Amino acid sequence: MIKTIIGAQWGDEGKGKVTDYLAEDSNLVVRSQGGNNAGHTIVVDGKKHKLHLLPSGILRKNMINVIGNGVVVNPDVLLRELDNLGDVRGQLFISDRAHIIMPYHTLLDGGEESSKGNSKIGTTGNGIGPCYSDKASRLGVRMGDLLDDATILERLNKALPRNKALLSHYGVENDLTVDVLFDMCKSWRNKLKDMITDTSLLINNHIVDGANVLLEGAQGVHIDIEYGTYPFVTSSSPTTSGAALGSGIAPNKISEVVGVTKAYLTRVGSGPFPTELEDDIGELIRDKGQEFGTTTGRPRRCGWLDLVMLELSNRICGFTSLAIMKLDILSDLEEVKVCVAYKDSKGSEVKHFPSSLSYLADCSPVYKTFPGWSSSEVDISKGIIPEEMKNFLDFVSGSLELPISIVSLGPGREETIIFQ
């Protein structure tokens, strides 16, 4: 069986916890796209682990973890994460087709973002976009290239002049040379060569043998390069189809797609946000939910759950169930709201998420309001939740015509209720 975990909002939904939880019944966990702009926080036995490149299954023993071809890899970040976790190298394989984030990509990311002034995208500055740009321009360096000196030199001699010209354009000084980068690549090879392989073949061989595979995406549908709030988007596709392509498997082999959504909504960086709460409730949710970026530390913008967004996510990803995360953060509020539609500036009701950001910016949310619930009435060990919380969940499930399979009521593995 192949399960895929998809972020249904703007990212930061809690995919890391869902992956870690579902990994218990899996043989392989595969990261399919993104890079170290992702930040998955997992709490095991009270200890917090922050992962940026490593698949979330890395925290479980005797499990194969794969960094797929759709991921862009910063080898220095990867090596630091490996060192922090101890001896897990026999559990990890890296696609020979995955592209490498080079030092010029990181420098270029900062230069490009600074040049945009008030139109900044809100990039993490980790070189993700420039690396994907080189990939599309056929100038990328891939993990498999590290295994051959001649190939490394060929790639660097093509890629470096263009990137140095761009850095000069943005006024970013650097002392990068082919020799310096070549030595860096050889150092990465010495440390990572035993992990680099054809992971598409690896995964598919395990599928033939009956393995359970879990595909872990990064970011969320609404910063997808195709269907996100363009241009405030990432450079890859955090969708079901993106997960298949970025893992090297056929889409028709995926049997379950879990859409992960917070019980509310957050966003990092710029762009329209119809349900944003710029008041005491928004501050309370941010503080109680510790809504600060795992990768950047930036405070997240907070708002009510938006079903208009989730309808689009479900439409293009084909969710088979939902995982509702951080429901505990809404406990003890007097009331809880859910956005069921928008109204545009002419008073017309909008049921489907628009592609035009200027139109979206003129929309206001239409809410359904629910009475709040008390945290004292929740007993996770017995699966007991208050009637008000159940009504909230039933409404979300009914509106999207999707069952809810997981409800998270805290950061730990044990703070989870599974619905069959």
Side-chain angles (χ1 to χ4, degrees):
M1 176 180 289
I2 302 176
K3 292 184 181 180
T4 304
I5 295 168
I6 301 294
Q9 298 170 307
W10 276 306
D12 308 311
E13 299 94 351
K15 297 180 293 298
K17 176 180 175 177
V18 175
T19 303
D20 174 68
Y21 196 91
L22 295 180
E24 185 173 9
D25 299 320
S26 303
N27 306 110
L28 287 84
V29 175
V30 184
R31 261 288 300 273
S32 57
Q33 46 77 222
N36 59 300
N37 54 342
H40 293 174
T41 302
I42 301 169
V43 179
V44 182
D45 297 328
K47 184 178 180 180
K48 186 179 290 187
H49 301 269
K50 294 184 178 182
L51 305 177
H52 299 279
L53 265 174
L54 289 172
S56 298
I58 202 73
L59 298 175
R60 292 188 177 274
K61 300 292 184 184
N62 304 315
M63 182 168 295
I64 297 172
N65 290 264
V66 175
I67 294 177
N69 54 277
V71 179
V72 289
V73 179
N74 183 321
D76 290 329
V77 171
L78 177 60
L79 288 165
R80 283 197 298 271
E81 287 195 33
L82 287 169
D83 288 343
N84 289 337
L85 288 178
D87 187 17
V88 296
R89 290 177 181 243
Q91 298 175 241
L92 180 67
F93 296 92
I94 308 164
S95 172
D96 52 7
R97 290 176 169 86
H99 281 245
I100 298 174
I101 298 173
M102 302 297 290
Y104 45 77
H105 292 139
T106 308
L107 292 171
L108 191 55
D109 204 352
E112 287 179 340
E113 187 76 346
S114 297
S115 73
K116 292 171 183 172
N118 294 331
S119 300
K120 290 180 180 179
I121 301 299
T123 171
T124 59
N126 288 313
I128 311 298
C131 184
Y132 276 116
S133 178
D134 267 8
K135 178 178 180 177
S137 299
R138 295 99 163 162
L139 289 171
V141 181
R142 304 195 296 179
M143 293 299 298
D145 298 337
L146 296 181
L147 305 180
D148 179 71
D149 284 357
T151 304
I152 298 173
L153 287 169
E154 179 188 355
R155 297 294 188 191
L156 292 176
N157 278 309
K158 287 181 178 178
L160 186 57
R162 174 182 182 271
N163 280 280
K164 284 182 75 73
L166 286 170
L167 288 169
S168 177
H169 170 75
Y170 291 117
V172 179
E173 295 183 2
N174 70 92
D175 54 2
L176 297 174
T177 65
V178 168
D179 288 343
V180 167
L181 295 174
F182 182 51
D183 287 342
M184 195 176 292
C185 288
K186 288 190 292 185
S187 174
W188 292 334
R189 175 176 64 201
N190 292 337
K191 297 171 183 176
L192 297 171
K193 61 184 177 182
D194 293 340
M195 306 178 201
I196 300 170
T197 189
D198 184 341
T199 54
S200 172
L201 184 60
L202 172 76
I203 296 165
N204 280 278
N205 283 342
H206 279 281
I207 292 171
V208 170
D209 291 339
N212 290 327
V213 180
L214 192 60
L215 307 183
E216 175 187 21
Q219 292 90 40
V221 172
H222 284 268
I223 57 170
D224 172 63
I225 188 69
E226 299 286 347
Y227 276 89
T229 47
Y230 192 89
F232 303 101
V233 294
T234 193
S235 303
S236 58
S237 183
T239 61
T240 308
S241 55
L245 187 61
S247 303
I249 66 169
N252 64 355
K253 292 183 178 178
I254 296 173
S255 51
E256 292 187 23
V257 183
V258 181
V260 185
T261 172
K262 284 175 181 166
Y264 49 96
L265 181 58
T266 62
R267 181 169 200 173
V268 173
S270 306
F273 188 163
T275 70
E276 185 170 11
L277 292 167
E278 300 180 279
D279 57 12
D280 291 343
I281 297 295
E283 288 290 333
L284 185 150
I285 290 173
R286 180 182 298 111
D287 292 342
K288 190 177 177 183
Q290 286 297 290
E291 294 297 349
F292 301 92
T294 303
T295 301
T296 63
R298 291 181 296 190
R300 296 173 183 143
R301 301 156 65 191
C302 298
W304 295 119
L305 183 66
D306 187 338
L307 298 186
V308 182
M309 286 182 67
L310 292 184
E311 185 278 329
L312 173 59
S313 301
N314 182 37
R315 190 190 335 146
I316 66 172
C317 291
F319 300 145
T320 56
S321 71
L322 292 174
I324 308 293
M325 312 302 289
K326 288 196 166 185
L327 188 53
D328 55 304
I329 303 304
L330 299 185
S331 295
D332 304 314
L333 292 176
E334 187 173 314
E335 61 182 25
V336 173
K337 295 182 180 182
V338 177
C339 175
V340 296
Y342 304 148
K343 277 197 175 176
D344 65 18
S345 57
K346 297 179 181 179
S348 299
E349 190 169 80
V350 180
K351 285 282 192 177
H352 301 289
F353 200 83
S355 63
S356 168
L357 294 200
S358 59
Y359 182 77
L360 181 62
D362 284 336
C363 289
S364 57
V366 177
Y367 288 120
K368 180 174 176 59
T369 302
F370 296 83
W373 53 82
S374 171
S375 56
S376 64
E377 297 179 43
V378 177
D379 188 334
I380 299 173
S381 63
K382 296 180 180 178
I384 296 173
I385 60 175
E387 191 67 23
E388 294 86 354
M389 183 186 286
K390 185 177 184 301
N391 290 339
F392 171 85
L393 292 172
D394 286 346
F395 180 79
V396 172
S397 174
S399 297
L400 296 169
E401 298 182 345
L402 282 171
I404 293 172
S405 55
I406 297 172
V407 172
S408 176
L409 293 159
R413 286 176 180 167
E414 71 284 357
E415 296 172 295
T416 310
I417 297 176
I418 301 297
F419 292 90
Q420 301 299 330

